[in-house]
Amino acid sequence: MTQTKNVRTVSSLALAATAVALLTGAAPAPASDDWAAPTDVEAGVRAAGLEMLDSEKLTMHIHPHLTVYADGDRVTVPADLGIDRSGEKPRYSPLHTHDTSGTVHVESATWQDFTLGQLFAEWGVRPQCLAEVDGLPVAGDPARIVFRDRQEITLRCR
């Protein structure tokens, strides 16, 4: 009985230490190249389960904001995630960025749920993070966060 209790205590302490490390940025961060913009935009958009469009669609038009920290350092959200500028005219994913401000543009011909996981797929990243939405901690996988207008999403990653 005592051994089982000790194992549970050690497991609880390890879990708590991991959470503190993630929240304070003490866990190791991915190399900066891990956060770079993808080179194959269309492949990332397909991986997100989305399609490239010839123009932005504005029936659904919202702007959540994403702030990312890795090992306590702020990560720049790349410009042009989900935008392919390789042709004569740009092509757009319904989920994209225009600049490095962290503003995510969700622009679709229909109202539907778009998630942080889809943005991760377009970006080509799958970080292990703790998340906050509008200052409140989010339980579970941050990839499941559904984007809402003017939402403030903060990720603390290792």
Side-chain angles (χ1 to χ4, degrees), residues 43-145:
V45 172
R46 278 194 310 273
L50 301 172
E51 293 183 25
M52 296 299 293
L53 306 169
D54 291 330
S55 64
E56 295 171 287
K57 306 298 181 192
L58 301 176
T59 300
M60 178 181 186
H61 188 196
I62 64 171
H63 299 103
H65 184 266
L66 179 63
T67 303
V68 180
Y69 295 94
D71 196 23
D73 295 325
R74 186 134 181 202
V75 173
T76 300
V77 176
D80 289 346
L81 283 177
I83 300 177
D84 182 359
R85 296 189 186 277
S86 64
E88 189 175 309
K89 292 183 177 181
R91 298 183 69 222
Y92 301 88
S93 164
L95 186 59
H96 57 271
T97 64
H98 288 284
D99 54 35
T100 60
S101 68
T103 298
V104 178
H105 296 257
V106 182
E107 300 170 356
S108 174
T110 60
W111 278 90
Q112 63 187 69
D113 287 345
F114 291 91
T115 66
L116 182 58
Q118 289 175 297
L119 185 70
F120 286 163
E122 287 188 2
W123 195 347
V125 299
R126 186 68 174 146
Q128 293 183 354
C129 305
L130 293 178
E132 296 174 3
V133 173
D134 296 329
L136 299 173
V138 174
D141 184 359
R144 294 178 180 239
I145 294 172

Side-chain angles (χ1 to χ4, degrees), residues 64-67 132-135 148-154:
H65 184 266
L66 179 63
T67 303
E132 296 174 3
V133 173
D134 296 329
R148 301 288 181 237
D149 197 25
R150 298 185 184 150
Q151 183 180 48
E152 289 289 336
I153 300 169
T154 303

